[in-house]
Amino acid sequence: ELKVEQNPLFLSMQEGKNYTIYCNYSTTSDRLYWYRQDPGKSLESLFVLLSNGAVKQEGRLMASLDTKARLSTLHITAAVHDLSATYFCAVDQRWGGTASKLTFGTGTRLQVTL
Amino acid sequence: EPEVTQTPSHQVTQMGQEVILRCVPISNHLYFYWYRQILGQKVEFLVSFYNNEISEKSEIFDDQFSVERPDGSNFTLKIRSTKLEDSAMYFCASSEQVPPYEQYFGPGTRLTVT
């Protein structure tokens, strides 16, 4: 059974600082997603990582995927308060001509303080 | 931009009652999904649906749950006899049949069982 773990579970950081959230998963997969969730809201897609070595950047967030290490990272550069949210990684176990199945990580609640 | 819609946004029901949660997937998508999120926890896969039949279901999706595509636009999740532990946010998602097969999530229905 696929297990997806994130750390840290909770992260309090000051504005302007950098930090990395880690997502480890237990079985082979080439597809990983990062989502943002604000309290009481739905899941907003941030990044789709489709191959080993994939790196994507949007604003202050950068995501990467190392399929050999079964590790993805979400790096936050110069955090701002607006980034406060819960971040989930999700691994897709099936794709390509069949319905996919996302297994979500435990989530990292990010709080950016002034 | 096309989006997944869900109704109602909040449903309160008594234990033992049947509920139907409704979703309208993005119109050209062919794969449909239900996920749930118990408050403060991670998102969990319930079921995937393609070509008018279930592709895969999790162990959460027992005989009390069923899904249906009653017409060309709606996708429903029925819980036959609700339990207190069914209280959660339920998200519908849909994806295309072509790469990158990304899932797009609806805003969710908060189900409260009393």
Side-chain angles (χ1 to χ4, degrees), chain A residues 16-71:
Chain A
K17 299 290 187 187
N18 304 333
Y19 208 84
T20 300
I21 298 170
Y22 297 89
C23 173
N24 291 90
Y25 54 98
S26 61
T27 63
T28 303
S29 174
D30 288 340
R31 300 173 62 84
L32 189 139
Y33 302 83
W34 282 96
Y35 290 92
R36 169 185 171 139
Q37 187 180 41
D38 291 297
K41 302 291 186 184
S42 187
L43 297 155
E44 176 191 350
S45 177
L46 295 174
F47 300 109
V48 180
L49 303 170
L50 299 178
S51 60
N52 186 40
V55 177
K56 293 207 173 167
Q57 181 159 8
E58 179 76 34
R60 300 174 189 275
L61 300 178
M62 183 172 72
S64 66
L65 177 62
D66 181 343
T67 59
K68 290 183 172 51
R70 297 177 188 164
L71 171 70

Side-chain angles (χ1 to χ4, degrees), chain A residues 76-93:
Chain A
I76 303 151
T77 302
V80 292
H81 182 70
D82 284 352
L83 290 179
S84 298
T86 298
Y87 293 84
F88 290 96
C89 62
V91 176
D92 195 348
Q93 292 179 265

